[in-house]
Amino acid sequence: MSSDTNPIRDAIAEAIRDNKTILFMKGTPEQPACGFSARTVAALQALDAPFAAVDILPDPRIRQELSALSNWPTIPQLFHEGELVGGADIVAEMSGSGELADTLGLAQAESAPAPEADAGPAPLGIENRLT
Amino acid sequence: MPTTDEIKRRIEAAVPQSSAEVEDWTGGGDHFRATVVSPTFDGLSRIQQHQLVYAVFGAEIGGPIHALSLTTRVPEQA
């Protein structure tokens, strides 16, 4: 086996590249298999953030290759636009401070000022929604 | 099985001028929570700060240390 052929690592790198926001976790968003993963999913769902999710449990090599790629030893791992945002602790911290919404490019429900009336007709200019 | 004292000592030995508080989160000796304060963190992103601490333990994280929950801080200016 050639050492530069690493289909699992390639697939992980591709998933990170192709998905704007992607969470590597234990279990699924519907059924997280670990409290840290559950909390991270909850933080994303609280923002209505669209994200792709990968369950790392089915194959231990996924975690091994992911951690080698990201230089991050624990699960979950959240990536946005190809960059590691953090694990459960960082996501929790960012979620509490409102930073998570900013980082993910989401409008923040509670602190976003409502557009003022003098802005004219329906404020359609800004679309922060991810599709 | 690592102890909270051992984890504290290792972090403080490896991260310059750091002080660490470590607790056993679940009482089971494998889920730990640490708060690490060091001027070394100044200017680093949170990711880089945590990576510095995780690097102390390498492959032990995910092994004997099932989880190490981190809070990192630069010391407050007096």
Side-chain angles (χ1 to χ4, degrees):
Chain A
M1 198 165 91
S2 153
S3 64
D4 55 0
T5 306
N6 191 330
I8 292 181
R9 191 179 296 202
D10 291 349
I12 292 169
E14 197 180 310
I16 292 170
R17 198 172 55 234
D18 292 350
N19 292 280
K20 191 162 186 179
T21 307
I22 183 166
L23 178 68
F24 292 86
M25 62 180 292
K26 293 182 179 172
T28 62
E30 294 72 34
Q31 267 195 313
C34 161
F36 298 102
S37 289
R39 286 212 311 269
T40 306
V41 166
L44 291 169
Q45 287 175 342
L47 295 173
D48 274 330
F51 63 98
V54 176
D55 182 1
I56 60 105
L57 290 176
D59 188 333
R61 289 174 300 178
I62 302 175
R63 178 185 182 150
Q64 204 179 320
E65 293 300 333
L66 173 64
S67 288
L69 201 71
S70 61
N71 190 25
W72 195 261
T74 54
I75 301 295
Q77 296 185 24
L78 179 68
F79 291 80
H80 181 71
E81 294 182 344
E83 295 282 327
L84 178 63
V85 174
D89 299 325
I90 290 180
V91 169
E93 216 174 297
M94 292 174 79
S95 159
S97 67
E99 213 181 321
L100 185 61
D102 287 348
T103 300
L104 300 181
L106 300 169
Q108 228 185 311
E110 62 253 89
S111 66
E116 289 304 322
D118 63 5
L124 294 173
I126 303 165
E127 280 290 339
N128 273 333
R129 288 183 208 107
L130 302 179
T131 50
Chain B
M1 196 141 62
T3 64
T4 51
D5 277 352
E6 184 193 334
I7 290 174
K8 174 183 163 69
R9 269 201 319 274
R10 288 175 62 191
I11 293 173
E12 289 179 347
V15 180
Q17 295 169 268
S18 66
S19 66
E21 278 172 44
V22 181
E23 55 181 316
D24 184 337
W25 205 347
T26 59
D30 56 2
H31 285 68
F32 296 95
R33 179 151 57 180
T35 301
V36 187
V37 182
S38 167
T40 315
F41 296 142
D42 196 16
L44 300 181
S45 70
R46 238 174 328 210
I47 296 272
Q48 291 167 328
Q49 296 177 6
H50 287 209
Q51 276 168 339
L52 263 183
V53 181
Y54 281 140
V56 177
F57 301 99
E60 288 169 77
I61 292 180
I65 302 174
H66 185 87
L68 177 61
S69 179
L70 289 178
T71 305
T72 51
R73 269 206 318 271
V74 177
E76 283 162 35
Q77 311 288 341

